[in-house]
């Protein structure tokens, strides 16, 4: 079909998602980009942010913790260090990770890697967000 | 001449060993299948990253990224991916034989090891290890690769190492593995991309910045790939070794049983002749 574009979400551990979709909205390192079928070839880095996928049935979100997006006119490939669909997210774990990261950032000691804690916090917050709102709407 | 009781005891102990080797073989076989699945699952990602790197590097040819800088220094680091456990046939010794010519009697060699066996070997011979990673040689995760890659890249960028080599065992089949040495850093991007027509990509924000993001990821996938290959090799090698150990035990048992029967028969014959001799004497 002409108005569809193939989306593959790949991580080192597995293929997370592969389907034909209407539109993909991703947060690149310098802002949101929306990709429709027939987009010009593009390569961009991604932030830790939900990937929004628009299909006929509605919108769904996929948790992406940083990576790359490669766009061809008929195909989008997202390479991510980790990626999860909303139903795969372990809410308890994400909440625990959020609390841990917050407490670390509140009282930074010498042996704590602030950058890492911040990244962990961002991932946890994103996961919680998706677990709550990421299903088909 | 050992007594029948001694032989019986030996048969029992060999049987016990055989049970253990058999169990280890089964466990290794099951884990090997899982390791192979994981190696297959990681392939699409690895190929895509490699493809992307070639394209991006082609578009950012004159950029100077610290991980691409070629320096002619003496400080060479070797990242040796070995096993945590033994009982895997010649797995560890084959790996070490691959490394030794490069490190023996040389100055400025830095070693980083994965796995207890590799660590112990070099420690016992008086090498100092810059870093050691243990406890995951059979089931590496991507996070392990990320940690290792980050550390290596950091040390390379700040000039601690001038070159980094990766030594691991490539997996072909359960009975065929080959120790391999590849250069990890500086990254070689001069792939043969001249042949196929270069696509006109838009880079957000720029080819250089994408390259800077991509290189560490590339490094991670190379390390992850090596860890997975090494895990599969270790398990395959253990499976083969334990399989032949089980066979050897079987052979040994049948020899011992034969021997046992001979001794038993000899005993019976001797007793009969003693009785007959005693009866003759009483006549």
């Amino acid at each position: 079909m002409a108005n569809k574009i193939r989306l593959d979400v790949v991580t080192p551990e597995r293929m997370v998602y592969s389907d034909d979709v209407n539109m993909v909205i991703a947060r690149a390192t310098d802002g949101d980009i929306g990709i429709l079928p027939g987009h010009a070839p593009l390569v961009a880095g991604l932030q830790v942010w939900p990937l929004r996928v628009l299909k006929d049935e509605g919108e769904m979100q996929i948790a992406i913790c940083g990576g790359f997006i490669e766009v061809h006119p008929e195909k989008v490939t997202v390479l991510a260090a980790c990626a999860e669909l909303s139903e795969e997210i372990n809410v308890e774990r994400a909440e625990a990770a959020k609390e841990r990261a917050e407490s670390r950032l509140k009282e930074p000691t010498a042996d704590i890697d602030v950058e890492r804690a911040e990244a962990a916090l961002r991932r946890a917050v994103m996961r919680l967000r998706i677990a709550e709102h990421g299903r088909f709407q | 001449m050992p007594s029948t009781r001694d032989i019986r005891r030996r048969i029992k102990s060999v049987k016990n060993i055989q049970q253990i080797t058999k169990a280890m073989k089964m466990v290794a076989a099951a884990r090997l299948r899982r390791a192979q699945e994981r190696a297959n699952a990681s392939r699409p990602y690895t190929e895509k990253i490699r493809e992307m790197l070639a394209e991006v590097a082609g578009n950012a040819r004159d950029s100077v990224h610290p991980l691409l800088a070629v320096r002619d220094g003496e400080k060479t680091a070797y990242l040796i991916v070995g096993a945590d456990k033994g009982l895997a046939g010649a797995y560890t010794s084959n790996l070490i034989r691959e490394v030794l010519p490069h490190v023996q009697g040389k100055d400025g060699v830095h070693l980083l090891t994965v796995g207890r066996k590799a660590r112990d070997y070099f420690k016992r011979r008086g090498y100092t290890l810059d870093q050691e990673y243990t406890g995951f040689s059979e089931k590496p995760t991507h996070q392990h690769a990320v940690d290792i890659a980050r550390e290596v890249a950091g040390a390379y960028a700040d000039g601690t190492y001038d070159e980094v080599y990766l030594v691991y065992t490539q997996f072909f089949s359960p009975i065929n593995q080959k120790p391999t040495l590849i250069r990890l850093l500086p990254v070689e991007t001069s792939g043969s991309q001249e042949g196929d027509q270069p696509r006109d990509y838009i880079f957000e924000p720029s080819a250089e910045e994408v390259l800077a993001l991509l290189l560490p990821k590339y490094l991670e996938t190379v390390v992850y790939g090596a860890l997975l290959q090494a895990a599969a090799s270790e398990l395959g090698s253990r499976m083969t070794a334990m399989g032949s150990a089980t066979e050897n035990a079987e052979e040994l048992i049948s020899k011992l049983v034969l021997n046992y029967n001979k001794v038993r028969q000899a005993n019976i014959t001797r007793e009969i002749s003693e009785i007959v001799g005693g009866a003759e004497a009483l006549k």
Side-chain angles (χ1 to χ4, degrees), chain B residues 125-144:
Chain B
R125 278 158 188 78
Y127 291 90
T128 48
L129 304 180
D130 284 18
Q131 189 59 252
E132 50 179 72
Y133 308 90
T134 52
F136 56 81
S137 80
E138 266 185 20
K139 40 177 182 0
T141 66
H142 189 249
Q143 192 54 44
H144 293 130

Side-chain angles (χ1 to χ4, degrees), chain B residues 201-213:
Chain B
Y201 276 100
I202 308 170
F203 291 100
E204 293 270 348
S206 68
E208 282 74 20
E209 278 180 61
V210 173
L211 185 66
L213 283 172

Side-chain angles (χ1 to χ4, degrees), chain B residues 122-246:
Chain B
F122 287 104
K123 263 211 173 144
R124 213 172 296 132
R125 278 158 188 78
Y127 291 90
T128 48
L129 304 180
D130 284 18
Q131 189 59 252
E132 50 179 72
Y133 308 90
T134 52
F136 56 81
S137 80
E138 266 185 20
K139 40 177 182 0
T141 66
H142 189 249
Q143 192 54 44
H144 293 130
V146 171
D147 294 341
I148 295 172
R150 187 176 296 154
E151 206 146 320
V152 171
Y156 183 79
D158 68 24
T160 316
Y161 309 139
D162 293 319
E163 259 185 320
V164 182
Y165 287 91
L166 174 64
V167 193
Y168 69 103
T169 310
Q170 235 184 325
F171 180 85
F172 297 104
S173 76
I175 44 162
N176 184 14
Q177 301 109 22
K178 199 168 156 282
T180 337
L181 186 134
I182 57 163
R183 194 172 80 179
L184 197 60
L185 286 168
V187 174
E188 283 166 89
T189 56
S190 54
S192 56
Q193 344 121 21
E194 302 297 327
D196 37 53
Q197 82 281 20
R199 281 171 186 266
D200 265 331
Y201 276 100
I202 308 170
F203 291 100
E204 293 270 348
S206 68
E208 282 74 20
E209 278 180 61
V210 173
L211 185 66
L213 283 172
L214 195 55
L215 275 174
K217 294 278 171 214
Y218 172 74
L219 205 62
E220 282 164 18
T221 48
V222 173
V223 174
Y224 184 52
L227 288 180
L228 286 176
Q229 292 268 324
S233 300
E234 181 191 340
L235 291 167
S237 171
R238 177 162 305 134
M239 195 180 94
T240 328
M242 289 300 111
S244 60
T246 310

